[in-house]
Amino acid sequence: MSYTGAILDSLPYIDKEYDDQATRERVLELIQEEMGRLSPPLMPKGTSMFKNNMILRKEYERVRSGNALPPFDIDRYKLEAPSGPDVAEDVDVWKRAADNAASQLEHQSMRMENLELLQNFGANAWKLSNYQKECLLANIEGSTRRYEEEGMHLNKERKYEQTEAGVKLRDLKECWFEGVRKCIEIQVANSQLHHEIASLEDQLRKPSQVSGK
């Protein structure tokens, strides 16, 4: 396996520090501490989204500000005759009522047409939609299996490489300990030699001092 750019020093198949309960608790504590410092993501303030569609822009601003969705208006679907004093002489009131009745009639006519279309073509459209969804599901399941197999092979390859690296690390660690041991032995032997040399020099100086007297 070839790595480009990133250098990873983590060997989860080799490093066993996380198996320790105290270490695991400390790691979880650090994660919770870091998550506590993170602020929740906010929707951007300055944006040019929906600048050409005021309806979508107003809805975006409502969601961004956290306001509740206004209740559904059902008054426009009511078909009521005008009422009130002097309503018989108010032309505008009757005109709005007539326009509302015409829109309600058109709405019911469209509903009838939709029901007829659904009755004639709904079953086949439903079957076609189910077939398309089944094909999409089959493609997704195939991709999922492929990615799972790739992930499994990748994990096997990673485990093999980390196991090989672990053997090399253990060998290098033993070589390092052996080198350190030899260095200590050399230092001890060197100190002993210095001590012996100093003792011999003292012995050589003592006869000279005696003969000088």
Side-chain angles (χ1 to χ4, degrees), residues 44-204:
K45 295 183 179 180
T47 178
S48 59
M49 295 178 62
F50 314 124
K51 60 181 179 181
N52 297 325
N53 193 321
M54 292 303 299
I55 296 177
L56 292 179
R57 183 165 183 81
K58 287 181 180 179
E59 180 64 15
Y60 174 82
E61 293 296 335
R62 182 192 67 79
V63 174
R64 180 177 167 274
S65 59
N67 296 329
L69 185 69
F72 188 70
D73 184 15
I74 61 174
D75 292 337
R76 60 178 180 172
Y77 296 107
K78 296 180 180 179
L79 188 59
E80 298 177 350
S83 61
D86 301 330
V87 69
E89 299 178 358
D90 195 339
V91 179
D92 293 335
V93 172
W94 284 102
K95 187 176 184 303
R96 288 195 297 268
D99 292 340
N100 182 35
S103 64
Q104 295 296 331
L105 180 61
E106 183 65 22
H107 174 66
Q108 295 299 328
S109 176
M110 291 181 61
R111 290 187 63 186
M112 292 294 294
E113 291 179 1
N114 290 332
L115 289 174
E116 291 178 0
L117 291 173
L118 179 62
Q119 185 176 4
N120 294 330
F121 306 105
N124 292 332
W126 181 260
K127 292 178 182 178
L128 178 61
S129 176
N130 287 341
Y131 174 75
Q132 293 174 344
K133 289 181 174 61
E134 288 175 356
C135 294
L136 179 61
L137 178 61
N139 292 332
I140 293 175
E141 289 177 347
S143 300
T144 302
R145 286 193 297 270
R146 184 173 69 254
Y147 291 139
E148 287 177 351
E149 292 176 357
E150 291 178 357
M152 183 177 61
H153 292 311
L154 178 63
N155 289 330
K156 287 182 178 179
E157 188 174 357
R158 183 182 294 134
K159 183 176 181 180
Y160 172 77
E161 290 188 351
Q162 292 187 13
T163 303
E164 292 294 320
V167 174
K168 294 180 180 179
L169 287 174
R170 283 192 293 271
D171 293 341
L172 292 173
K173 187 176 182 180
E174 291 177 359
C175 291
W176 182 81
F177 279 121
E178 183 66 18
V180 171
R181 184 183 64 80
K182 290 182 178 180
C183 288
I184 294 175
E185 291 178 353
I186 291 173
Q187 290 177 355
V188 171
N190 192 21
S191 299
Q192 292 178 351
L193 288 175
H194 278 292
H195 181 70
E196 292 177 0
I197 290 172
S199 298
L200 292 174
E201 288 177 349
D202 291 339
Q203 292 177 4
L204 290 174

